[in-house]
Amino acid sequence: MIKDIESLRFGYETDLFRIITAQLGNTPLLAHTRAKNLLDIRRTDLLGEAVRITADLLPEIHETYQSCLDILGHGFSGELFVRQSMEYNASVFAHEKKFDVLVHSALLNDFTPDELAFVFGHELGHVLFEHSRFCVFDILSNPEGVSRDTADILFRWSRASEVSADRVGLLCCGKLSTAVTALFKTASGLAGIDMDQMLRSFRRQYEDLEKQLREASDDLSWVRTHPMIPIRFKALELAALDIVALRQQSGGFSGKGFRAIDQQIAGILEAIDINAVCTRIQ
Ligand SMILES: [Zn+2]
């Protein structure tokens, strides 16, 4: 178990969380019993429609998953399932410390065990930071709904939550290069690209995206719960040294420096948020 994982939570996420709880109260919008029921329903679906990954079925992948669980520490329990899909995707549904992770088969076919550790870690990061506390889609699908302003902040928080989850992904896989490859494969569907080329590609695209977002005067016609991949890359690149130091428990993790990194990434997400405020949330 790694100590101080909580310090990896993206500061912008913490700020938005405070605003949400001030607007909605400190209780989860999903009632306790309903959240527990949803977990049970999802588990029934997984047992019925997906395949549980055990040490017997896929020993290497199971071991990778277990090593990620070890980082979370005691009390967390959840199984890993796979279902057929060509899409690179994974999800988790959690209720308190119980959860189930679902990965699409394309990930298991095309990603290395280390890259999968990034994916598993990302999903476990959502559990650790209790991101299911406010289920954005559930809240927005409620006909009684919440105000436009609150919905907007929920989207912002959801995007910021992905940065926090990626940090746990990197903590689990242990290397920036592995996380970068996993992100690059997810975005492009391409494998076998040289690391220097991937880094140059992400860095240039991040610079252009940042410029584009800061200069764009039009309303963006979308609102996304995930930050765009070059931003996720940049957030990881800036934080990588600290995250690896935390993993090694070498004392090289600097909380103060880490918050400065948060400010930089928050700046670019705020640029998206300012543009997105004017869009219509459907
Ligand atoms: Zn996520």
Side-chain angles (χ1 to χ4, degrees):
M1 179 184 170
I2 305 281
K3 283 186 264 169
D4 304 327
I5 301 188
E6 177 58 36
S7 56
L8 291 185
R9 190 192 290 266
F10 182 28
Y12 187 47
E13 188 212 320
T14 311
D15 295 344
L16 291 168
F17 190 82
R18 273 198 210 108
I19 298 173
I20 294 169
T21 48
Q23 290 191 2
L24 297 178
N26 203 13
T27 49
L29 289 186
L30 214 52
H32 187 273
T33 330
R34 178 157 152 67
K36 169 80 174 64
N37 285 346
L38 283 176
L39 186 71
D40 286 342
I41 291 167
R42 158 127 166 159
R43 187 163 181 78
T44 308
D45 282 348
L46 290 173
L47 286 168
E49 308 294 335
V51 171
R52 180 164 47 196
I53 294 176
T54 60
D56 182 50
L57 185 69
L58 291 168
E60 194 176 15
I61 288 168
H62 187 260
E63 197 187 320
T64 301
Y65 177 68
Q66 286 301 316
S67 69
C68 295
L69 278 183
D70 290 345
I71 285 181
L72 262 63
H74 300 299
F76 287 92
S77 77
E79 291 189 302
L80 179 64
F81 290 82
V82 59
R83 81 168 175 86
Q84 192 283 326
S85 171
M86 299 301 283
E87 202 183 336
Y88 291 153
N89 210 346
S91 58
V92 66
F93 194 93
H95 173 62
E96 295 170 349
K97 289 187 170 186
K98 293 208 181 315
F99 57 89
D100 287 302
V101 175
L102 174 68
V103 290
H104 289 187
S105 55
L107 286 173
L108 301 192
N109 289 328
D110 298 348
F111 280 41
T112 65
D114 285 347
E115 289 157 11
L116 286 173
F118 174 75
V119 175
F120 298 154
H122 176 102
E123 298 307 325
L124 295 176
H126 285 310
V127 179
L128 187 80
F129 293 134
E130 297 183 78
H131 290 155
S132 61
R133 189 178 170 82
F134 295 113
C135 175
V136 175
F137 289 109
D138 202 74
I139 294 166
L140 297 181
S141 62
N142 178 349
E144 298 188 7
V146 292
S147 72
R148 170 84 182 277
D149 195 35
T150 303
D152 173 59
I153 292 170
L154 280 164
F155 272 115
R156 292 189 202 191
W157 170 70
S158 182
R159 277 193 295 269
S161 298
E162 295 303 319
V163 172
S164 300
D166 273 347
R167 291 174 173 181
V168 181
L170 178 51
L171 190 74
C172 286
C173 75
K175 273 191 191 162
L176 178 64
S177 57
T178 308
V180 166
T181 313
L183 280 182
F184 194 86
K185 278 185 178 174
T186 304
S188 69
L190 301 174
I193 309 285
D194 182 75
M195 178 54 61
D196 287 341
Q197 288 173 308
M198 284 191 283
L199 287 171
R200 280 200 299 277
S201 163
F202 268 146
R203 282 173 189 147
R204 284 180 189 152
Q205 218 161 305
Y206 172 80
E207 282 166 18
D208 287 350
L209 178 63
E210 185 185 31
K211 201 161 160 245
Q212 177 77 14
L213 287 167
R214 290 194 190 282
E215 288 174 1
S217 54
D218 299 339
D219 294 349
L220 300 180
S221 58
W222 41 260
V223 175
R224 300 167 56 109
T225 51
H226 280 58
M228 287 168 279
I229 283 198
I231 298 172
R232 291 175 62 186
F233 158 74
K234 191 67 183 176
L236 279 176
E237 186 181 41
L238 290 171
L241 284 178
D242 279 304
I243 294 172
V244 172
L246 190 71
R247 180 185 160 100
Q248 293 166 347
Q249 302 279 288
S250 61
F253 178 80
S254 151
K256 204 172 163 195
F258 210 63
R259 298 286 79 92
I261 291 166
D262 280 358
Q263 294 279 327
Q264 198 174 332
I265 296 302
I268 183 69
L269 283 179
E270 275 167 353
I272 302 177
D273 293 338
I274 286 162
N275 282 332
V277 158
C278 302
T279 63
R280 197 154 56 86
I281 297 163
Q282 312 219 346

